[in-house]
Amino acid sequence: MDKTLKNPLTIALAVVAAIGVGVWIYQLANGLGITGMDNMTSWGLYLACFMFFGGVASGALAIAASIEVFNLDAWKPIQIPAAVCAIVCICCAGICVLLDIGGIQRVWRMIVGLNIESPLAWDMLVITASIVVDALFLHALCFKKDDAHRAGIIARIALPLAVLCVAVEAWVFGMQVAKEAWGAMLAPVFVASALDSGLALVILACLALKVKGLEAGQDLLGKLARLLSVFVAVDFFLIFCEIATAAYTGESLAGLVLTGSLAPLFWVEVICGLVLPFCMLAAAGNGKNPVMVAAASALVLVGVLCKRCWVLLSGFAFANVSGGSGVTLGTVAAQTGGVAQVWTQTGSYLPTIPEAVIAVAVFALAALGFIVVYRLLAQKAS
């Protein structure tokens, strides 16, 4: 463990995370006004990262639990790394929510003022349950020799919980009736992308750890690559259904993502995150090439992150105030820029430097957390 803490990569990740904490303290002191968010675009990069981490965590947990539930002995080498990915990412998802709240000193109101009718309350409850179940499942895997049945029991709870977690995450957005671009299709799309991003992260983690069975020529790597290609194909199909339907019916969403302001994010997702990885994984021989599988997995993760960003921002792209002057942006610039800049029906959003630094720090914290947790617990299973 001492060698892990002194590793240059670990030190670099810790430094980036520490810088992020410093910028977050600056945000607490000055408010969310330092971000690119305003009254018209009230959710931004933090919530996109929350969606990303929540989906990855659910996908990784579903993989780890499925190995236990269905007795996939050949896949056992990746089970503990998958469980570690799940708990680290779900914790980072919770951190992203806390970042977006702004006033962390009032977080206790989320508990005492819980509105059980709100999808946001459901999300908080399911995230908390996921953290607890993830921790119990990982502990059961690491100490399996003491109680071989406990891991199986918890896995049967974890598997449906993983699906529920990402579904509730989608409902938070899809049930916002004032947002034209968010609808019922979000839940299946989120589940599909959770599976491919979760598996992609697990593959990258296992290749980085040089987990036994994933060396070049080993059959396990080929199986993972084939499964990832299937998940990517399903994800592509669901996205195609959503956009094709929107285009045929003349919905504004189609123009927004195909040729509008969100087109760069959409096409990066489709080309780099879906089509290219599928071609790389489906090509003969590439499934047993660690470099090709790792590259395809990394592209899948980039694509899913882009998806989370364009899905989030599409909900704020259309005016939901049809008459009158609109609403105030709530920013300092709008207050000092005259009447013309105070009232608006639509807004624009671009992450600020502090916002981006904090988001990068969360990713660094996720990588650091995986390294530390795995080194602490993985040896217990041996």
Side-chain angles (χ1 to χ4, degrees), residues 292-329:
M292 293 297 292
V293 175
S297 299
L299 287 172
V300 168
L301 288 171
V302 171
V304 171
L305 181 58
C306 287
K307 174 189 294 183
R308 296 302 193 248
C309 290
W310 74 254
V311 166
L312 177 75
L313 295 177
S314 66
F316 299 101
F318 309 113
N320 55 9
V321 181
S322 58
S325 302
V327 299
T328 59
L329 285 178

mmCIF file of all heavy atoms in Angstrom, residues 292-329:
data_model
loop_
_atom_site.group_PDB
_atom_site.id
_atom_site.type_symbol
_atom_site.label_atom_id
_atom_site.label_comp_id
_atom_site.label_asym_id
_atom_site.label_seq_id
_atom_site.Cartn_x
_atom_site.Cartn_y
_atom_site.Cartn_z
ATOM 1 N N MET A 292 -6.461 -2.622 -28.920
ATOM 2 C CA MET A 292 -7.662 -2.268 -29.663
ATOM 3 C C MET A 292 -8.891 -2.254 -28.758
ATOM 4 O O MET A 292 -9.738 -1.354 -28.853
ATOM 5 C CB MET A 292 -7.872 -3.257 -30.811
ATOM 6 C CG MET A 292 -6.827 -3.188 -31.895
ATOM 7 S SD MET A 292 -6.795 -1.581 -32.735
ATOM 8 C CE MET A 292 -8.354 -1.628 -33.592
ATOM 9 N N VAL A 293 -8.992 -3.238 -27.868
ATOM 10 C CA VAL A 293 -10.134 -3.286 -26.949
ATOM 11 C C VAL A 293 -10.104 -2.103 -25.989
ATOM 12 O O VAL A 293 -11.138 -1.490 -25.701
ATOM 13 C CB VAL A 293 -10.141 -4.625 -26.178
ATOM 14 C CG1 VAL A 293 -11.265 -4.623 -25.143
ATOM 15 C CG2 VAL A 293 -10.314 -5.791 -27.134
ATOM 16 N N ALA A 294 -8.908 -1.755 -25.505
ATOM 17 C CA ALA A 294 -8.788 -0.610 -24.603
ATOM 18 C C ALA A 294 -9.161 0.692 -25.314
ATOM 19 O O ALA A 294 -9.867 1.540 -24.749
ATOM 20 C CB ALA A 294 -7.361 -0.522 -24.056
ATOM 21 N N ALA A 295 -8.703 0.847 -26.557
ATOM 22 C CA ALA A 295 -9.031 2.059 -27.322
ATOM 23 C C ALA A 295 -10.532 2.154 -27.565
ATOM 24 O O ALA A 295 -11.133 3.232 -27.410
ATOM 25 C CB ALA A 295 -8.270 2.057 -28.640
ATOM 26 N N ALA A 296 -11.150 1.047 -27.941
ATOM 27 C CA ALA A 296 -12.594 1.043 -28.169
ATOM 28 C C ALA A 296 -13.348 1.365 -26.883
ATOM 29 O O ALA A 296 -14.337 2.122 -26.893
ATOM 30 C CB ALA A 296 -13.034 -0.308 -28.719
ATOM 31 N N SER A 297 -12.905 0.820 -25.771
ATOM 32 C CA SER A 297 -13.552 1.069 -24.477
ATOM 33 C C SER A 297 -13.451 2.539 -24.091
ATOM 34 O O SER A 297 -14.427 3.137 -23.606
ATOM 35 C CB SER A 297 -12.908 0.199 -23.402
ATOM 36 O OG SER A 297 -13.061 -1.179 -23.693
ATOM 37 N N ALA A 298 -12.286 3.131 -24.309
ATOM 38 C CA ALA A 298 -12.101 4.546 -23.988
ATOM 39 C C ALA A 298 -13.026 5.413 -24.844
ATOM 40 O O ALA A 298 -13.622 6.380 -24.354
ATOM 41 C CB ALA A 298 -10.645 4.946 -24.199
ATOM 42 N N LEU A 299 -13.166 5.062 -26.128
ATOM 43 C CA LEU A 299 -14.054 5.815 -27.011
ATOM 44 C C LEU A 299 -15.513 5.701 -26.573
ATOM 45 O O LEU A 299 -16.278 6.674 -26.663
ATOM 46 C CB LEU A 299 -13.900 5.322 -28.452
ATOM 47 C CG LEU A 299 -12.602 5.715 -29.165
ATOM 48 C CD1 LEU A 299 -12.496 5.013 -30.511
ATOM 49 C CD2 LEU A 299 -12.520 7.229 -29.355
ATOM 50 N N VAL A 300 -15.901 4.528 -26.095
ATOM 51 C CA VAL A 300 -17.264 4.346 -25.598
ATOM 52 C C VAL A 300 -17.530 5.289 -24.423
ATOM 53 O O VAL A 300 -18.592 5.936 -24.346
ATOM 54 C CB VAL A 300 -17.501 2.884 -25.181
ATOM 55 C CG1 VAL A 300 -18.814 2.747 -24.397
ATOM 56 C CG2 VAL A 300 -17.539 1.976 -26.406
ATOM 57 N N LEU A 301 -16.579 5.392 -23.517
ATOM 58 C CA LEU A 301 -16.745 6.274 -22.357
ATOM 59 C C LEU A 301 -16.850 7.734 -22.789
ATOM 60 O O LEU A 301 -17.678 8.484 -22.261
ATOM 61 C CB LEU A 301 -15.573 6.084 -21.394
ATOM 62 C CG LEU A 301 -15.563 4.763 -20.621
ATOM 63 C CD1 LEU A 301 -14.247 4.593 -19.875
ATOM 64 C CD2 LEU A 301 -16.727 4.690 -19.648
ATOM 65 N N VAL A 302 -16.021 8.135 -23.740
ATOM 66 C CA VAL A 302 -16.099 9.510 -24.252
ATOM 67 C C VAL A 302 -17.467 9.764 -24.880
ATOM 68 O O VAL A 302 -18.089 10.807 -24.668
ATOM 69 C CB VAL A 302 -14.976 9.766 -25.277
ATOM 70 C CG1 VAL A 302 -15.176 11.114 -25.968
ATOM 71 C CG2 VAL A 302 -13.615 9.735 -24.593
ATOM 72 N N GLY A 303 -17.943 8.785 -25.657
ATOM 73 C CA GLY A 303 -19.233 8.933 -26.302
ATOM 74 C C GLY A 303 -20.374 9.056 -25.308
ATOM 75 O O GLY A 303 -21.282 9.891 -25.487
ATOM 76 N N VAL A 304 -20.342 8.243 -24.263
ATOM 77 C CA VAL A 304 -21.413 8.301 -23.259
ATOM 78 C C VAL A 304 -21.382 9.633 -22.510
ATOM 79 O O VAL A 304 -22.434 10.211 -22.201
ATOM 80 C CB VAL A 304 -21.299 7.113 -22.286
ATOM 81 C CG1 VAL A 304 -22.266 7.276 -21.112
ATOM 82 C CG2 VAL A 304 -21.585 5.808 -23.013
ATOM 83 N N LEU A 305 -20.194 10.150 -22.223
ATOM 84 C CA LEU A 305 -20.103 11.457 -21.564
ATOM 85 C C LEU A 305 -20.688 12.545 -22.462
ATOM 86 O O LEU A 305 -21.413 13.431 -21.983
ATOM 87 C CB LEU A 305 -18.647 11.772 -21.218
ATOM 88 C CG LEU A 305 -18.402 13.109 -20.508
ATOM 89 C CD1 LEU A 305 -19.189 13.193 -19.202
ATOM 90 C CD2 LEU A 305 -16.908 13.318 -20.248
ATOM 91 N N CYS A 306 -20.384 12.488 -23.758
ATOM 92 C CA CYS A 306 -20.978 13.449 -24.701
ATOM 93 C C CYS A 306 -22.497 13.316 -24.721
ATOM 94 O O CYS A 306 -23.222 14.316 -24.795
ATOM 95 C CB CYS A 306 -20.407 13.222 -26.098
ATOM 96 S SG CYS A 306 -18.699 13.757 -26.309
ATOM 97 N N LYS A 307 -22.970 12.068 -24.678
ATOM 98 C CA LYS A 307 -24.420 11.851 -24.659
ATOM 99 C C LYS A 307 -25.054 12.504 -23.443
ATOM 100 O O LYS A 307 -26.083 13.190 -23.561
ATOM 101 C CB LYS A 307 -24.738 10.362 -24.665
ATOM 102 C CG LYS A 307 -26.229 10.062 -24.511
ATOM 103 C CD LYS A 307 -26.503 8.590 -24.296
ATOM 104 C CE LYS A 307 -26.138 7.782 -25.509
ATOM 105 N NZ LYS A 307 -26.457 6.347 -25.335
ATOM 106 N N ARG A 308 -24.461 12.301 -22.291
ATOM 107 C CA ARG A 308 -25.015 12.898 -21.079
ATOM 108 C C ARG A 308 -25.069 14.416 -21.199
ATOM 109 O O ARG A 308 -26.024 15.055 -20.739
ATOM 110 C CB ARG A 308 -24.175 12.495 -19.864
ATOM 111 C CG ARG A 308 -24.172 10.995 -19.537
ATOM 112 C CD ARG A 308 -25.577 10.482 -19.295
ATOM 113 N NE ARG A 308 -25.605 9.170 -18.692
ATOM 114 C CZ ARG A 308 -26.026 8.065 -19.296
ATOM 115 N NH1 ARG A 308 -26.454 8.134 -20.547
ATOM 116 N NH2 ARG A 308 -26.036 6.902 -18.666
ATOM 117 N N CYS A 309 -24.052 15.006 -21.827
ATOM 118 C CA CYS A 309 -24.022 16.464 -21.962
ATOM 119 C C CYS A 309 -25.117 16.957 -22.898
ATOM 120 O O CYS A 309 -25.848 17.904 -22.568
ATOM 121 C CB CYS A 309 -22.649 16.913 -22.469
ATOM 122 S SG CYS A 309 -21.298 16.711 -21.274
ATOM 123 N N TRP A 310 -25.257 16.318 -24.088
ATOM 124 C CA TRP A 310 -26.270 16.843 -25.015
ATOM 125 C C TRP A 310 -27.689 16.539 -24.546
ATOM 126 O O TRP A 310 -28.607 17.334 -24.790
ATOM 127 C CB TRP A 310 -26.020 16.389 -26.451
ATOM 128 C CG TRP A 310 -26.319 14.983 -26.860
ATOM 129 C CD1 TRP A 310 -25.414 14.002 -27.099
ATOM 130 C CD2 TRP A 310 -27.609 14.407 -27.142
ATOM 131 N NE1 TRP A 310 -26.046 12.839 -27.494
ATOM 132 C CE2 TRP A 310 -27.389 13.069 -27.543
ATOM 133 C CE3 TRP A 310 -28.918 14.879 -27.096
ATOM 134 C CZ2 TRP A 310 -28.425 12.200 -27.879
ATOM 135 C CZ3 TRP A 310 -29.952 14.016 -27.434
ATOM 136 C CH2 TRP A 310 -29.708 12.707 -27.824
ATOM 137 N N VAL A 311 -27.874 15.410 -23.876
ATOM 138 C CA VAL A 311 -29.200 15.115 -23.334
ATOM 139 C C VAL A 311 -29.582 16.161 -22.292
ATOM 140 O O VAL A 311 -30.708 16.685 -22.289
ATOM 141 C CB VAL A 311 -29.240 13.706 -22.727
ATOM 142 C CG1 VAL A 311 -30.493 13.527 -21.859
ATOM 143 C CG2 VAL A 311 -29.227 12.645 -23.818
ATOM 144 N N LEU A 312 -28.651 16.488 -21.411
ATOM 145 C CA LEU A 312 -28.930 17.477 -20.370
ATOM 146 C C LEU A 312 -29.241 18.845 -20.975
ATOM 147 O O LEU A 312 -30.265 19.467 -20.657
ATOM 148 C CB LEU A 312 -27.729 17.587 -19.427
ATOM 149 C CG LEU A 312 -27.868 18.655 -18.336
ATOM 150 C CD1 LEU A 312 -28.825 18.185 -17.252
ATOM 151 C CD2 LEU A 312 -26.517 18.996 -17.735
ATOM 152 N N LEU A 313 -28.370 19.307 -21.873
ATOM 153 C CA LEU A 313 -28.518 20.653 -22.407
ATOM 154 C C LEU A 313 -29.709 20.787 -23.344
ATOM 155 O O LEU A 313 -30.255 21.894 -23.501
ATOM 156 C CB LEU A 313 -27.231 21.065 -23.125
ATOM 157 C CG LEU A 313 -25.992 21.186 -22.228
ATOM 158 C CD1 LEU A 313 -24.760 21.525 -23.044
ATOM 159 C CD2 LEU A 313 -26.220 22.227 -21.137
ATOM 160 N N SER A 314 -30.127 19.688 -23.968
ATOM 161 C CA SER A 314 -31.277 19.768 -24.874
ATOM 162 C C SER A 314 -32.549 20.177 -24.141
ATOM 163 O O SER A 314 -33.454 20.782 -24.727
ATOM 164 C CB SER A 314 -31.490 18.427 -25.579
ATOM 165 O OG SER A 314 -31.865 17.406 -24.652
ATOM 166 N N GLY A 315 -32.627 19.869 -22.863
ATOM 167 C CA GLY A 315 -33.816 20.229 -22.091
ATOM 168 C C GLY A 315 -33.951 21.712 -21.843
ATOM 169 O O GLY A 315 -35.047 22.209 -21.540
ATOM 170 N N PHE A 316 -32.836 22.453 -21.974
ATOM 171 C CA PHE A 316 -32.874 23.897 -21.718
ATOM 172 C C PHE A 316 -32.798 24.707 -23.007
ATOM 173 O O PHE A 316 -32.669 25.925 -22.958
ATOM 174 C CB PHE A 316 -31.702 24.286 -20.807
ATOM 175 C CG PHE A 316 -31.737 23.617 -19.463
ATOM 176 C CD1 PHE A 316 -30.925 22.518 -19.193
ATOM 177 C CD2 PHE A 316 -32.581 24.068 -18.463
ATOM 178 C CE1 PHE A 316 -30.957 21.892 -17.962
ATOM 179 C CE2 PHE A 316 -32.619 23.452 -17.225
ATOM 180 C CZ PHE A 316 -31.809 22.354 -16.962
ATOM 181 N N ALA A 317 -32.856 24.033 -24.152
ATOM 182 C CA ALA A 317 -32.645 24.719 -25.425
ATOM 183 C C ALA A 317 -33.883 25.424 -25.946
ATOM 184 O O ALA A 317 -33.783 26.282 -26.817
ATOM 185 C CB ALA A 317 -32.152 23.717 -26.470
ATOM 186 N N PHE A 318 -35.058 25.075 -25.419
ATOM 187 C CA PHE A 318 -36.297 25.634 -25.943
ATOM 188 C C PHE A 318 -36.985 26.487 -24.883
ATOM 189 O O PHE A 318 -36.991 26.144 -23.701
ATOM 190 C CB PHE A 318 -37.239 24.508 -26.391
ATOM 191 C CG PHE A 318 -36.574 23.524 -27.314
ATOM 192 C CD1 PHE A 318 -36.357 22.217 -26.892
ATOM 193 C CD2 PHE A 318 -36.146 23.909 -28.560
ATOM 194 C CE1 PHE A 318 -35.736 21.308 -27.730
ATOM 195 C CE2 PHE A 318 -35.525 23.020 -29.405
ATOM 196 C CZ PHE A 318 -35.311 21.713 -28.989
ATOM 197 N N ALA A 319 -37.562 27.562 -25.327
ATOM 198 C CA ALA A 319 -38.236 28.478 -24.401
ATOM 199 C C ALA A 319 -39.457 27.805 -23.788
ATOM 200 O O ALA A 319 -40.248 27.175 -24.478
ATOM 201 C CB ALA A 319 -38.662 29.745 -25.140
ATOM 202 N N ASN A 320 -39.594 27.923 -22.472
ATOM 203 C CA ASN A 320 -40.799 27.418 -21.823
ATOM 204 C C ASN A 320 -41.650 28.560 -21.273
ATOM 205 O O ASN A 320 -42.528 28.356 -20.462
ATOM 206 C CB ASN A 320 -40.456 26.419 -20.709
ATOM 207 C CG ASN A 320 -39.505 27.003 -19.682
ATOM 208 O OD1 ASN A 320 -39.224 28.193 -19.702
ATOM 209 N ND2 ASN A 320 -38.999 26.151 -18.791
ATOM 210 N N VAL A 321 -41.349 29.777 -21.704
ATOM 211 C CA VAL A 321 -42.154 30.949 -21.385
ATOM 212 C C VAL A 321 -42.545 31.573 -22.709
ATOM 213 O O VAL A 321 -41.730 32.188 -23.397
ATOM 214 C CB VAL A 321 -41.366 31.963 -20.530
ATOM 215 C CG1 VAL A 321 -42.256 33.168 -20.210
ATOM 216 C CG2 VAL A 321 -40.874 31.309 -19.248
ATOM 217 N N SER A 322 -43.795 31.387 -23.129
ATOM 218 C CA SER A 322 -44.202 31.782 -24.474
ATOM 219 C C SER A 322 -44.556 33.260 -24.606
ATOM 220 O O SER A 322 -44.537 33.820 -25.691
ATOM 221 C CB SER A 322 -45.403 30.944 -24.930
ATOM 222 O OG SER A 322 -46.476 31.101 -24.019
ATOM 223 N N GLY A 323 -44.870 33.892 -23.515
ATOM 224 C CA GLY A 323 -45.281 35.290 -23.595
ATOM 225 C C GLY A 323 -44.583 36.136 -22.551
ATOM 226 O O GLY A 323 -43.896 35.640 -21.664
ATOM 227 N N GLY A 324 -44.752 37.446 -22.654
ATOM 228 C CA GLY A 324 -44.149 38.330 -21.680
ATOM 229 C C GLY A 324 -42.656 38.492 -21.893
ATOM 230 O O GLY A 324 -42.094 38.115 -22.924
ATOM 231 N N SER A 325 -42.012 39.046 -20.907
ATOM 232 C CA SER A 325 -40.579 39.338 -21.015
ATOM 233 C C SER A 325 -39.702 38.138 -20.736
ATOM 234 O O SER A 325 -38.518 38.132 -21.047
ATOM 235 C CB SER A 325 -40.212 40.467 -20.034
ATOM 236 O OG SER A 325 -40.960 41.623 -20.302
ATOM 237 N N GLY A 326 -40.237 37.106 -20.103
ATOM 238 C CA GLY A 326 -39.441 35.939 -19.750
ATOM 239 C C GLY A 326 -39.115 35.928 -18.273
ATOM 240 O O GLY A 326 -39.936 36.328 -17.445
ATOM 241 N N VAL A 327 -37.912 35.495 -17.939
ATOM 242 C CA VAL A 327 -37.470 35.454 -16.544
ATOM 243 C C VAL A 327 -36.111 36.118 -16.450
ATOM 244 O O VAL A 327 -35.418 36.328 -17.448
ATOM 245 C CB VAL A 327 -37.365 33.993 -16.026
ATOM 246 C CG1 VAL A 327 -38.718 33.307 -16.096
ATOM 247 C CG2 VAL A 327 -36.322 33.205 -16.811
ATOM 248 N N THR A 328 -35.706 36.445 -15.238
ATOM 249 C CA THR A 328 -34.375 37.021 -15.046
ATOM 250 C C THR A 328 -33.350 35.905 -15.030
ATOM 251 O O THR A 328 -33.584 34.830 -14.480
ATOM 252 C CB THR A 328 -34.306 37.791 -13.715
ATOM 253 O OG1 THR A 328 -34.604 36.889 -12.646
ATOM 254 C CG2 THR A 328 -35.278 38.939 -13.697
ATOM 255 N N LEU A 329 -32.182 36.159 -15.625
ATOM 256 C CA LEU A 329 -31.127 35.160 -15.630
ATOM 257 C C LEU A 329 -30.564 34.927 -14.231
ATOM 258 O O LEU A 329 -30.125 33.840 -13.910
ATOM 259 C CB LEU A 329 -29.990 35.598 -16.572
ATOM 260 C CG LEU A 329 -30.268 35.456 -18.068
ATOM 261 C CD1 LEU A 329 -29.080 35.971 -18.868
ATOM 262 C CD2 LEU A 329 -30.538 34.004 -18.424
#
